Amino acid sequence: MEATRQHQDEPHALPRTSDIDVVVVGAGLAGICAAIVAAEQGASVQVLDSAHGGGASAVSGGVIYAGGGTRQQVEAGYGGDTPENMFLYLREEVGDAVDEATLQRFCEESVGHIAWLEKHGVRFSGALCPFRTSYPTSNYFLYFSGNERAHPFATVATARPEGHRAVGVPRGGMNLTGMDFWTALYDSAVRLGVKFQFASKAEEVLLDGNGNIEGVRYRAIDNKAKSFRRYLSLTSRAAKYHGLSMHSVAKRLDRWAKATWERDAYQRTLEARSVILAAGGYIMDNDMIKKFMPWASRTAPLGTAGDDGSGIRLGQSVGGSVSYMNYFTTWRLMYPPESLLEGIVVSTSGERIAAEDLYGASFSNIMVEKHGGCGFLILDSKQWQKVKIQAKTQTQMPWKAFIQYLIYWAHEKAKTLEDLARKLKVDPSALKTTVQAYNNAITSDKPDPVGKLGYRSIIATGPFYGIDISLKPSGMMVVPAMGLGGLRVDGPSGLVLNDTRERIRGLYAAGRNAVGICSNSYISGLALADCVFSGKRAGEHAACA
């Protein structure tokens, strides 16, 4: 992929241009959506990206949370979904992260978002996954991606499949389609005349004498320099390794890329009446993590080198305020195979942590907040055999490798529950009592003690199996984490707000640079959906400002 041709100037000069209406900082999903919409409105747009574009979205699974009656839902037999039903469910998930009017707008526009993405080349399908999964195999593209069927969510809204995975070409044996999602939009943006400058980092938001947004100062490697392609190659490879949680390799590549950029980048300024900050999250910034999420050292960062909090700091530098910075999501996904959910997860005290049929990130957050990030999945031999059988059809690389690792290596086995508890360093007496309560509720046809609605089977037949699912920063049992906070923004426009909640005219934030739909809690597809929503919102308003 080559960057669009930029203005060519002498190295280390400080050229100034004034023919751009909108500058977008960051070429991930939020940035690319903002750029496309602004260009559709007739604005001239320049996108700056510190790497090669794509950001964390391009190394993701390519899932967008959408509902209200999409074409894909209709194809799968769920045409009865409505924006109102979607709103009722998401209100439980989103809480007060955004105001009610913003959430209502998000739901009402959801069907249109899918149609808009399809217009710009992203492909979706109504092939519904028939089993509970954290990510569908290559045959399926629509699934229940959150807590739709879990308590209390199933009591407030009718469960509908709202995880829409983009159709794409498997790469390296894996069916992750985030790159297909992003590439389709990038190609559309180029056709619309959006200019891209890769290997460029915004370092300052410029203000005029009256405090109005005037543009940005940035540093960039000239796209004709020999080091330009080397830099983009290093950042592209690093992003792939970050996506695979191979962070030691990724960080080495990032260091080489940074050294190249520091040596060869030179300063420029770009004048524009509007600046949209869409530069990713802050999980890669050690100072922010130590301040807001000190426990995150026990997890692996989910993102790329660009998720260094720079976009958030740019907003703060001109008066922007932040919120939800200590909110997070962690992923200890326990399915597929879905039979893993038939077991129970206990703390070191032997007590149930939460309903196991919750979405994996929702469950993990409870495990972190209330149990120190420690948990143990308990199954009996019948459940274990079901896991082995289902793994053949319900998993695909790289998840298949992880499940095989659990089945053949990363577990404890014992003839009795008490012996298993001792191996796991769990209270034996409490574990026995917890299992009895779980079994009694099933045999007496009573509600589950912690509210699990499905996937219930008694734990009675030895030998018994235990898997340590506690937080781990590396290896096959790694637990990824991502921060959810950002700059506070105005609901209708996406303009950044200052400490007194006044709008900073001409400055917008989108995606993980902003507090948004997924800032309170995360379910699969909600971050990409928020990128599309907030990016389009900022682009529309900026183009017309």
Side-chain angles (χ1 to χ4, degrees):
M1 179 175 60
E2 295 186 4
T4 301
R5 180 183 177 87
Q6 300 118 18
H7 297 289
Q8 301 302 314
D9 298 279
E10 292 297 320
H12 309 297
L14 196 63
R16 212 172 169 87
T17 62
S18 58
D19 59 346
I20 297 297
D21 296 318
V22 179
V23 173
V24 180
V25 179
L29 183 57
I32 210 85
C33 287
I36 290 174
V37 168
E40 287 179 323
Q41 300 292 324
S44 56
V45 185
Q46 175 90 41
V47 180
L48 308 176
D49 192 84
S50 62
H52 51 86
S57 299
V59 295
S60 75
V63 178
I64 177 173
Y65 199 86
T70 66
R71 177 178 60 80
Q72 293 73 26
Q73 288 179 311
V74 173
E75 289 177 4
Y78 285 90
D81 196 18
T82 65
E84 291 74 21
N85 186 68
M86 184 182 183
F87 173 81
L88 290 173
Y89 167 69
L90 284 179
R91 186 167 57 183
E92 294 292 313
E93 293 280 11
V94 173
D96 60 356
V98 299
D99 60 82
E100 193 162 295
T102 298
L103 181 58
Q104 189 72 54
R105 175 183 172 184
F106 173 81
C107 296
E108 290 173 352
E109 294 180 357
S110 187
V111 171
H113 287 164
I114 294 294
W116 181 82
L117 290 168
E118 289 182 310
K119 184 182 77 171
H120 289 285
V122 185
R123 295 184 296 142
F124 297 99
S125 166
L128 180 66
C129 188
F131 51 85
R132 181 70 182 274
T133 185
S134 56
Y135 190 74
T137 58
S138 56
N139 294 324
Y140 308 109
F141 297 91
L142 181 68
Y143 68 117
F144 291 86
S145 65
N147 289 305
E148 298 88 358
R149 290 173 164 174
H151 181 80
F153 307 94
T155 65
V156 299
T158 303
R160 295 285 188 263
E162 297 186 332
H164 292 61
R165 180 167 72 92
V167 177
V169 179
R171 291 175 171 84
M174 296 181 290
N175 66 330
L176 304 178
T177 57
M179 179 58 77
D180 300 272
F181 197 134
W182 181 84
T183 300
L185 295 177
Y186 170 76
D187 291 342
S188 183
V190 170
R191 288 193 296 270
L192 286 167
V194 174
K195 297 180 180 180
F196 288 84
Q197 187 162 4
F198 299 117
S200 61
K201 300 182 182 182
E203 296 185 328
E204 181 183 2
V205 176
L206 302 176
L207 304 175
D208 63 18
N210 297 317
N212 298 315
I213 298 297
E214 192 177 42
V216 296
R217 179 179 61 80
Y218 66 101
R219 291 178 64 197
I221 299 176
D222 194 291
N223 70 345
K224 287 193 176 296
K226 292 182 179 179
S227 56
F228 181 78
R229 289 187 179 277
R230 170 177 167 77
Y231 175 82
L232 294 190
S233 174
L234 287 169
T235 55
S236 177
R237 289 160 57 197
K240 292 177 182 177
Y241 282 115
H242 278 304
L244 294 171
S245 293
M246 298 175 66
H247 297 290
S248 60
V249 177
K251 287 180 179 179
R252 188 178 304 117
L253 294 169
D254 284 332
R255 285 195 297 270
W256 293 343
K258 183 178 180 180
T260 300
W261 187 85
E262 292 286 358
R263 184 189 67 229
D264 293 345
Y266 57 93
Q267 284 192 347
R268 288 181 169 182
T269 61
L270 185 61
E271 291 183 348
R273 68 170 189 259
S274 297
V275 173
I276 300 174
L277 302 174
Y282 52 95
I283 193 64
M284 295 296 183
D285 184 82
N286 290 331
D287 291 336
M288 285 186 171
I289 293 306
K290 288 178 182 177
K291 180 178 181 180
F292 298 111
M293 297 185 294
W295 53 266
S297 61
R298 296 166 58 196
T299 67
L302 185 69
T304 66
D307 292 299
D308 59 0
S310 58
I312 295 172
R313 286 193 295 271
L314 282 172
Q316 290 179 293
S317 71
V318 291
S321 61
V322 297
S323 187
Y324 286 86
M325 293 295 287
N326 62 330
Y327 280 60
F328 62 91
T329 183
T330 55
W331 281 272
R332 171 57 81 209
L333 300 172
M334 294 181 290
Y335 54 88
E338 60 183 359
S339 51
L340 284 168
L341 298 176
E342 295 183 24
I344 61 172
V345 179
V346 300
S347 65
T348 53
S349 66
E351 299 176 347
R352 296 270 293 283
I353 288 176
E356 293 78 15
D357 60 348
L358 285 170
Y359 173 66
S362 302
F363 187 96
S364 298
N365 287 358
I366 296 172
M367 187 172 74
V368 170
E369 291 177 336
K370 297 184 177 181
H371 300 278
C374 296
F376 306 88
L377 175 60
I378 310 297
L379 304 108
D380 76 355
S381 60
K382 291 184 178 180
Q383 295 164 340
W384 192 255
Q385 288 304 311
K386 289 175 68 174
V387 169
K388 294 172 72 173
I389 293 170
Q390 290 179 355
K392 298 175 183 178
T393 58
Q394 294 186 6
T395 62
Q396 189 166 330
M397 293 295 289
W399 191 258
K400 181 184 287 290
F402 171 68
I403 296 301
Q404 295 302 314
Y405 176 69
L406 296 183
I407 292 173
Y408 294 106
W409 185 260
H411 66 267
E412 295 289 350
K413 178 181 177 181
K415 292 182 179 180
T416 67
L417 285 170
E418 292 87 349
D419 287 342
L420 181 64
R422 281 185 279 270
K423 287 186 175 183
L424 296 173
K425 295 181 173 57
V426 170
D427 185 304
S429 176
L431 176 60
K432 185 176 181 179
T433 300
T434 297
V435 171
Q436 287 176 343
Y438 177 66
N439 291 343
N440 289 341
I442 296 172
T443 56
S444 60
D445 197 25
K446 292 182 179 179
D448 180 69
V450 298
K452 182 160 71 171
L453 297 182
Y455 307 102
R456 299 169 65 191
S457 65
I458 62 172
I459 301 172
T461 306
F464 300 92
Y465 297 81
I467 301 171
D468 184 351
I469 65 168
S470 305
L471 296 186
K472 291 179 177 62
S474 61
M476 288 291 286
M477 295 296 287
V478 64
V479 177
M482 179 179 75
L484 299 177
L487 295 161
R488 292 194 298 171
V489 295
D490 173 60
S493 65
L495 285 164
V496 175
L497 302 175
N498 63 19
D499 287 331
T500 59
R501 301 195 70 84
E502 294 176 305
R503 293 174 292 182
I504 300 176
R505 186 174 179 181
L507 183 66
Y508 303 81
R512 297 284 51 77
N513 272 178
V515 173
I517 300 296
C518 65
S519 289
N520 183 63
S521 65
Y522 177 89
I523 53 175
S524 285
L526 203 55
L528 294 196
D530 189 36
C531 284
V532 175
F533 172 73
S534 62
K536 287 179 84 270
R537 176 180 62 185
E540 289 169 355
H541 198 272
C544 299

